[in-house]
Amino acid sequence: GAGVSQTPSNKVTEKGKYVELRCDPISGHTALYWYRQSLGQGPEFLIYFQGTGAADDSGLPNDRFFAVRPEGSVSTLKIQRTERGDSAVYLCASSFNLGGINQPQHFGDGTRLSIL
Amino acid sequence: QKEVEQDPGPLSVPEGAIVSLNCTYSNSAFQYFMWYRQYSRKGPELLMYTYSSGNKEDGRFTAQVDKSSKYISLFIRDSQPSDSATYLCAMSRYNFNKFYFGSGTKLNVKP
């Protein structure tokens, strides 16, 4: 596809369950980013990948959150033992690298996660 | 205190008006500045980006950065009802990685 694709678009689950959120970046984009957006707030950085490796995971709130990008393309954000406070829209973005510098990020439409 | 502050609005203007949207920030290390537009239940859409201080124009949009005041602005000329959305400013220290976003300003352009 032309843009960043995120699946599912909506996810409702019970407190304590495990969830996986998938991001398919724009073809050729080497950098991939995850953000979390709560209602009425701007996106909050979680983690970014340069290729297969996590270049900066300083935004992950605790060890229940984990993300992978094993082949340098698709990424999965994993949340264990979900809590009601994890309810938010999880946004993925990607960018291409030009001359060693990552360019501005392009976002998907997000996964709306609701924890009951 | 948040690193990036943005008035949440809502800002309501008549069609054709000039709109001014602003953000202030506290970290003098920010060098890359972006403006995104976000429609309801959609992801942010990149409008403009600038590096360091100065102005940049693209069609009806002009972005300004004043690093001495730690203040950035987005101007929209001849505003249209289709411009009604939430506008997010974002900034970063190194390249375009790890953005710090404002909370967004909701704009409503009335026909």
Side-chain angles (χ1 to χ4, degrees):
Chain A
V4 177
S5 176
Q6 292 189 245
T7 54
S9 54
N10 290 281
K11 177 72 176 177
V12 181
T13 192
E14 294 179 344
K15 178 176 175 293
K17 299 290 188 183
Y18 168 83
V19 296
E20 288 190 353
L21 311 179
R22 175 187 167 108
C23 174
D24 203 335
I26 294 171
S27 179
H29 282 198
T30 55
L32 184 147
Y33 311 79
W34 285 99
Y35 290 82
R36 177 168 70 176
Q37 186 174 25
S38 300
L39 195 62
Q41 300 297 314
E44 179 187 19
F45 172 82
L46 296 177
I47 184 172
Y48 103 85
F49 290 88
Q50 192 67 52
T52 60
D56 185 341
D57 65 357
S58 60
L60 293 178
N62 52 59
D63 62 5
R64 295 186 298 104
F65 289 74
F66 189 70
V68 295
R69 194 186 185 201
E71 297 178 357
S73 179
V74 171
S75 175
T76 305
L77 179 66
K78 308 180 182 195
I79 310 174
Q80 298 177 323
R81 305 183 304 279
T82 51
E83 300 177 356
R84 293 198 178 88
D86 299 335
S87 297
V89 176
Y90 289 80
L91 293 164
C92 178
S94 68
S95 68
F96 70 94
N97 190 285
L98 185 65
I101 299 175
N102 287 331
Q103 299 303 299
Q105 300 165 26
H106 295 267
F107 284 81
D109 286 337
T111 293
R112 190 170 301 268
L113 178 64
S114 298
I115 309 297
L116 302 179
Chain B
Q1 183 189 1
K2 288 185 177 181
E3 295 206 59
V4 181
E5 297 281 355
Q6 187 174 9
D7 187 333
L11 180 62
S12 188
V13 301
E15 183 175 354
I18 296 174
V19 175
S20 172
L21 303 164
N22 311 293
C23 289
T24 59
Y25 62 95
S26 56
N27 191 337
S28 58
F30 288 140
Q31 298 187 76
Y32 296 83
F33 303 92
M34 280 69 61
W35 285 97
Y36 283 84
R37 177 173 63 193
Q38 187 172 29
Y39 292 111
S40 181
R41 303 186 77 88
K42 292 290 190 181
E45 171 193 358
L46 179 66
L47 284 176
M48 299 189 72
Y49 60 94
T50 56
Y51 170 69
S52 195
S53 285
N55 293 1
K56 184 174 182 179
E57 187 172 322
D58 183 2
R60 296 186 296 114
F61 299 92
T62 299
Q64 287 186 351
V65 174
D66 182 348
K67 291 190 73 179
S68 62
S69 302
K70 298 191 184 69
Y71 187 87
I72 69 171
S73 301
L74 178 71
F75 298 95
I76 307 174
R77 289 182 297 282
D78 188 25
S79 56
Q80 303 295 309
S82 59
D83 294 329
S84 298
T86 296
Y87 288 79
L88 296 157
C89 64
M91 43 201 81
S92 62
R93 292 190 289 250
Y94 309 114
N95 299 338
F96 292 98
N97 300 325
K98 190 174 181 179
F99 288 175
Y100 293 81
F101 279 87
S103 57
T105 299
K106 189 174 175 67
L107 172 67
N108 180 32
V109 181
K110 299 173 292 185

